[in-house]
Amino acid sequence: MADRYGNDVLSGDWRKPKRGRTVEHPADAGLVVEDATSGFCGEIVKVENGLVVLEDRHLKQRAFRLGPGFLLDGKPVALHAPVVVQKTGGRTASGSIAVKDARARVALPSRIYVEGRHDAELVEKIWGDDLRVEGVAVEYLGGIDDLPAIVRDFQPTKSRRLGVLVDHLVPGSKESRLADQVNGTPHVLVVGHPYVDVWQAVRPERLGIQKWPVIPRGTEWKHGICEALGWPHADQADIARAWKRILGTVRSYADLEPSLLGRVEELIDFVTAPTP
């Protein structure tokens, strides 16, 4: 017999929110979350001073206070600063001998610029310990279309050197033409790897494939890669998760292609060489 009065609204856990209860979650770089109040959705790019910085697909950044009020895959989370695991001796991910209890040096005026955030995150994962000991800061540019202006604005000198890592630096590419415009500038070194994107600098075996898929011209490369590998690729959140998946397979320099390893080491040597 049907209940003419409907269900008892007080039956079950009527206090439980429709989206579920808020759970704690580390604010790991690369995670895509939404601020529930403003609706701003973006990838976590930085956590410092009690704030988390999100960057959306238009490269717009906004800072929010850590804590509750975020959505992850539609579920409420309270973000907290990720736990930093302290290394104790041995070797760094780059293969260098780790300096025990070493404090990060004050950053040198010299800098290393890379094209994008993924480049910066990969460099940090492998060379981060070495760079902190040397006092070298790595910054990402969001592209190098304005490379000549970037070099001019930096105003390099013998005690303020600029190293630039460029993607897809092969003969005839747009990147090679831009690099040619600044090559020969005193106290500037531009080097690059041959890959369309730094994703390809990760050895394909780490992903369980023999080689990276070839993506036809006219197809956005990262979306094409995800589609070829059978990964979700509908939006920027999917691309961010794909990169996090790739980066998570990288343990040390041995997981990267030599053509990237040599160029980064060259840049580090260049910006840390003694001033004559």
Side-chain angles (χ1 to χ4, degrees):
M1 180 176 178
D3 183 357
R4 61 184 291 192
Y5 297 107
N7 295 329
D8 179 359
V9 297
L10 297 182
S11 64
D13 188 359
W14 57 272
R15 295 165 297 182
K16 185 177 180 179
K18 291 182 179 180
R19 286 176 166 168
R21 300 192 185 282
T22 298
V23 297
E24 294 284 329
H25 199 288
D28 294 323
L31 198 68
V32 176
V33 297
E34 177 184 346
D35 174 59
T37 301
S38 66
F40 186 87
C41 182
E43 182 178 349
I44 296 176
V45 296
K46 186 188 302 182
V47 177
E48 62 181 7
N49 301 324
L51 299 175
V52 57
V53 179
L54 306 184
E55 181 177 280
D56 69 9
R57 60 192 181 92
H58 303 295
L59 303 182
K60 179 181 178 182
Q61 294 187 356
R62 288 185 60 180
F64 302 90
R65 190 160 297 281
L66 288 169
F70 297 93
L71 299 176
L72 174 61
D73 294 330
K75 304 296 184 182
V77 293
L79 296 178
H80 60 81
V83 177
V84 178
V85 179
Q86 299 293 332
K87 295 182 174 65
T88 56
R91 290 188 176 272
T92 68
S94 71
S96 302
I97 297 175
V99 181
K100 188 176 181 180
D101 300 325
R103 293 184 177 181
R105 289 181 57 188
V106 175
L108 298 172
S110 299
R111 290 287 186 275
I112 292 176
Y113 284 170
V114 296
E115 283 203 50
R117 184 170 62 253
H118 294 175
D119 304 70
E121 289 172 352
L122 186 58
V123 169
E124 162 62 27
K125 184 160 189 178
I126 300 302
W127 290 275
D129 290 334
D130 306 336
L131 293 168
R132 280 183 284 277
V133 170
E134 296 289 349
V136 177
V138 175
E139 302 177 13
Y140 73 88
L141 300 171
I144 62 163
D145 288 347
D146 296 324
L147 184 58
I150 289 168
V151 171
R152 287 195 302 271
D153 291 344
F154 186 81
Q155 298 180 348
T157 67
K158 64 180 180 181
S159 59
R160 178 179 164 82
R161 300 171 190 163
L162 176 61
V164 184
L165 179 68
V166 176
D167 298 340
H168 199 223
L169 192 61
V170 296
S173 68
K174 176 193 74 173
E175 292 81 3
S176 67
R177 292 191 292 271
L178 289 167
D180 287 343
Q181 294 180 44
V182 299
N183 278 335
T185 304
H187 319 299
V188 174
L189 176 64
V190 179
V191 300
H193 58 73
Y195 310 113
V196 173
D197 190 275
V198 78
W199 289 19
Q200 285 182 298
V202 178
R203 289 182 178 273
E205 309 91 82
R206 297 300 304 141
L207 303 176
I209 58 178
Q210 292 185 340
K211 61 181 181 179
W212 284 93
V214 176
I215 306 304
R217 287 182 176 272
T219 300
E220 204 286 324
W221 192 84
K222 289 176 181 175
H223 286 265
I225 286 292
C226 291
E227 183 177 16
L229 294 177
W231 297 352
H233 56 282
D235 53 28
Q236 188 58 36
D238 287 334
I239 301 303
R241 281 188 283 269
W243 168 241
K244 190 172 183 181
R245 180 175 179 174
I246 294 168
L247 188 62
T249 69
V250 177
R251 304 156 300 180
S252 74
Y253 71 95
D255 297 325
L256 301 182
E257 298 288 357
S259 50
L260 175 69
L261 295 173
R263 301 296 73 73
V264 176
E265 296 285 353
E266 186 178 358
L267 289 176
I268 294 174
D269 290 344
F270 175 73
V271 298
T272 59
T275 303

